[in-house]
Amino acid sequence: MSGGTGGRPGGGPGGRPGGGLLVAGTTSDAGKSVVTAGICRWLVRRGVKVAPFKAQNMSLNSFVTREGAEIGRAQAMQAQAARVEPSVLMNPVLLKPGGDRSSQVVLMGKPVGELSARGYHGGRQEALLGTVLDCLAELRGTYDAVICEGAGSPAEINLRRTDIVNMGIARGARLPVLVVGDIDRGGVFASFFGTVALLSREDQELVAGFLVNKFRGDVSLLEPGIDMLHGLTGRHTYGVLPFRHGLGIDEEDGLGVSLRGSVRESEVSSPVGEDILRVAVCAIPLMSNFTDLDALAAEPGVVVRFVDRAEELVDADLVVVPGTRGTVRALEWLRRRGLADALVRRAAEGRPVLGICGGFQLLGEHIEDEVESRAGAVDGLGLLPVRVRFAREKTLTRPVGEALGEPVQGYEIHHGVAHVTGGEPFLDGCRVGQVWGTHWHGSLESDGFRRAFLREVASAAGRRFVPAPDTSFEGLREEQLDRLGDLIEEHADTDALWRLIESGAPAGLPFIPPGAPA
């Protein structure tokens, strides 16, 4: 397979619309997000002005753009891969699950209400097609290329009529489609064939070919199957990407958290000091922005694990209560599982606890919630002198400040408004003894602040742990993104990918029966 390129795709500023590609998948979690990021990094290293796009995202991991808009965290990561500033145009529709059957709908970066899955797919989603196509067109008028990510599978025939993120956007913008399959799950050839065969003739005309992801072993053993797949479908396989650990960065997880990202797959480096530091993260319901913990896991000698039992907190040097889309629900869960009592005991013993966003709110004294859970007045754990009232307007900011003598920045995404009545100031929250609380996501990505905080934790825990003096979270993230770009450049047919982005799907692709049901 070729790793070379002929030239830059045309279009973009001042010309015809820039090139484009839709990265679809045979299933959820097939690798669409990381493949999209990898293609963005490969292109920008070739001098192409490129942007990511996902029409509709379902995720509890989100980010705040500079203009104060909320988008999926995966699209922020892809923007970093493309070396551009994240924009709401890159993810105009975000769904944030609040339970098994409903989600908050975030449109153009702002919440517009809660809808059941039936209500959303019953008409609201289809009405948003014009909005997402306008956003895509604006990006294509600004950039040389726009790499779009699909959602789930394009062959979800029960949802095709209202689809705005897979073949709906491909048809609307005439985008060629590359279907990614996770061979690690097995059945990838059947998945590729079946995906195409369940699409209508008009949709199939845009499906240019396939990309195998997470392959282990000798690729020559796969080649006969690739040849047979071409014979059956008339479509090429554009590459076979090998399995690599630690590349599931900024995953999108909706209701279920897979935790297969860099936290779980990274190896724990040897500590600089004599001890390691053990961090236990309460795996609360509707956990959001668990990517906050990646910066801790990146530190040599820090071991991060997600827990759901009280006894798992006993040997932890730091317990983190992360963000959540359901503060009151998470509080009830902590009490039911005995974790609430364990947190209270830790605080009384002077052992470190950190609450972030929803985790900060439930550590307070009182919660008044007529918005998220509609539970009304609820007692918190009482570990911090904070009273929280949920507002209908969501706070979406990118604060900058100082804490523990170090500069720190982050982002805020919350309905809860905290009234702090005591303790020591800590970012926008407070600290009492070794209990810390803040609404700021991403603060631990500030290297100097993270090191200062870990020194405090280690001292309180009696650990001879020393933070590494040179760990750069930004640098590590850039290394991961470069590894994604390397995968595309070294293992995909980049000449053919370039032609797809610039010129669209090849003409004359055969129809594979039976096609979409009537």
Side-chain angles (χ1 to χ4, degrees):
M1 295 179 182
S2 171
T5 55
R8 285 162 45 99
R16 65 176 177 80
L21 175 70
L22 176 68
V23 178
T26 56
T27 62
S28 295
D29 201 29
K32 297 182 293 290
S33 295
V34 294
V35 167
T36 299
I39 293 174
C40 285
R41 178 50 60 101
W42 159 63
L43 284 173
V44 76
R45 293 194 309 204
R46 289 301 215 176
V48 177
K49 188 179 180 184
V50 59
F53 177 78
K54 185 162 186 174
Q56 171 196 293
N57 200 343
M58 175 173 279
S59 179
L60 287 171
N61 286 337
S62 58
F63 183 75
V64 179
T65 67
R66 281 185 178 170
E67 67 265 38
E70 186 178 8
I71 65 172
R73 177 89 189 189
Q75 278 60 66
M77 176 270 291
Q78 291 161 356
Q80 186 176 352
R83 296 177 180 153
V84 296
E85 184 65 29
S87 163
V88 71
L89 295 174
M90 298 171 184
N91 180 209
V93 182
L94 173 64
L95 306 179
K96 303 193 73 174
D100 292 339
R101 296 188 178 181
S102 68
S103 293
Q104 182 182 67
V105 181
V106 179
L107 177 61
M108 296 304 292
K110 305 295 180 183
V112 295
E114 298 272 343
L115 276 179
S116 67
R118 180 175 293 277
Y120 184 67
H121 290 288
R124 182 62 187 270
Q125 182 183 37
E126 191 175 13
L128 296 175
L129 181 60
T131 298
V132 301
L133 285 172
D134 287 346
C135 290
L136 177 56
E138 187 169 344
L139 288 174
R140 294 182 77 183
T142 305
Y143 291 89
D144 298 328
V146 179
I147 308 303
C148 308
E149 179 189 345
S153 163
E156 292 169 349
I157 54 179
N158 55 315
L159 303 176
R160 176 62 186 92
R161 182 180 63 82
T162 59
D163 169 48
I164 65 170
V165 67
N166 289 308
M167 300 314 298
I169 196 77
R171 286 270 291 276
R174 302 306 299 171
L175 293 172
V177 179
L178 182 69
V179 180
V180 177
D182 179 358
I183 197 170
D184 201 44
R185 296 183 175 189
V188 73
F189 292 123
S191 297
F192 282 147
F193 183 88
T195 296
V196 179
L198 280 176
L199 300 179
S200 68
R201 184 180 298 273
E202 295 80 7
D203 286 350
Q204 287 192 25
E205 289 173 356
L206 295 173
V207 178
F210 314 106
L211 185 73
V212 177
N213 192 28
K214 302 182 186 177
F215 179 71
R216 306 172 192 250
D218 183 352
V219 72
S220 66
L221 299 177
L222 195 66
E223 288 171 352
I226 291 174
D227 292 341
M228 285 186 274
L229 183 67
H230 178 255
L232 288 167
T233 67
R235 289 160 172 85
H236 291 286
T237 295
Y238 285 74
V240 178
L241 307 185
F243 187 94
R244 291 288 187 268
H245 283 281
L247 292 180
I249 51 180
D250 290 1
E251 295 188 52
E252 295 183 348
D253 303 292
L255 291 175
V257 177
S258 69
L259 303 179
R260 286 197 299 272
S262 56
V263 168
R264 279 295 171 97
E265 291 188 348
S266 62
E267 295 181 1
V268 178
S269 302
S270 299
V272 174
E274 297 180 42
D275 286 345
I276 62 171
L277 208 63
R278 298 173 178 85
V279 178
V281 184
C282 296
I284 55 180
L286 299 176
M287 181 166 32
S288 62
N289 285 66
F290 59 84
T291 49
D292 285 335
L293 286 308
D294 285 353
L296 290 181
E299 281 286 346
V302 175
V303 180
V304 177
R305 67 182 190 273
F306 289 78
V307 304
D308 58 6
R309 296 181 299 178
E311 56 267 29
E312 294 179 291
L313 304 189
V314 174
D315 67 343
D317 301 307
L318 169 67
V319 174
V320 179
V321 188
T324 174
R325 250 280 280 156
T327 300
V328 171
R329 177 174 168 180
L331 184 58
E332 294 170 347
W333 181 86
L334 289 169
R335 286 178 167 139
R336 189 168 61 249
R337 300 188 71 89
L339 286 158
D341 289 339
L343 289 169
V344 171
R345 286 194 299 272
R346 283 187 67 90
E349 295 165 359
R351 304 179 67 199
V353 175
L354 171 65
I356 302 174
C357 200
F360 164 45
Q361 295 166 6
L362 60 82
L363 293 180
E365 298 169 342
H366 184 79
I367 298 169
E368 190 73 32
D369 182 12
E370 299 292 349
V371 176
E372 191 176 75
S373 68
R374 298 181 176 86
V378 177
D379 288 332
L381 296 186
L383 303 185
L384 291 173
V386 175
R387 300 178 71 83
V388 176
R389 178 186 57 81
F390 276 69
R392 297 202 176 275
E393 290 294 316
K394 184 182 284 191
T395 297
L396 296 167
T397 62
R398 293 265 293 268
V400 176
E402 183 178 298
L404 302 179
E406 298 285 347
V408 58
Q409 60 185 349
Y411 54 100
E412 295 186 50
I413 306 170
H414 54 90
H415 284 281
V417 179
H419 179 53
V420 180
T421 60
E424 300 176 44
F426 175 64
L427 302 177
D428 70 328
C430 66
R431 167 191 182 181
V432 173
Q434 287 300 320
V435 180
W436 316 63
T438 177
H439 274 129
W440 289 25
H441 293 290
S443 63
L444 294 167
E445 295 178 17
S446 298
D447 297 329
F449 165 73
R450 181 180 64 254
R451 287 192 278 268
F453 176 69
L454 290 176
R455 281 193 291 269
E456 290 257 0
V457 169
S459 176
R463 293 286 185 186
R464 288 173 292 186
F465 168 85
V466 178
D470 56 355
T471 300
S472 166
F473 184 76
E474 179 74 14
L476 291 171
R477 174 54 52 87
E478 280 295 305
E479 287 178 16
Q480 284 184 308
L481 294 173
D482 275 333
R483 289 172 64 199
L484 291 179
D486 292 344
L487 280 179
I488 298 299
E489 192 157 354
E490 295 169 9
H491 299 282
D493 186 343
T494 52
D495 283 339
L497 276 179
W498 197 290
R499 287 193 295 272
L500 276 186
I501 292 166
E502 188 175 31
S503 304
L509 291 169
F511 172 71
I512 308 302

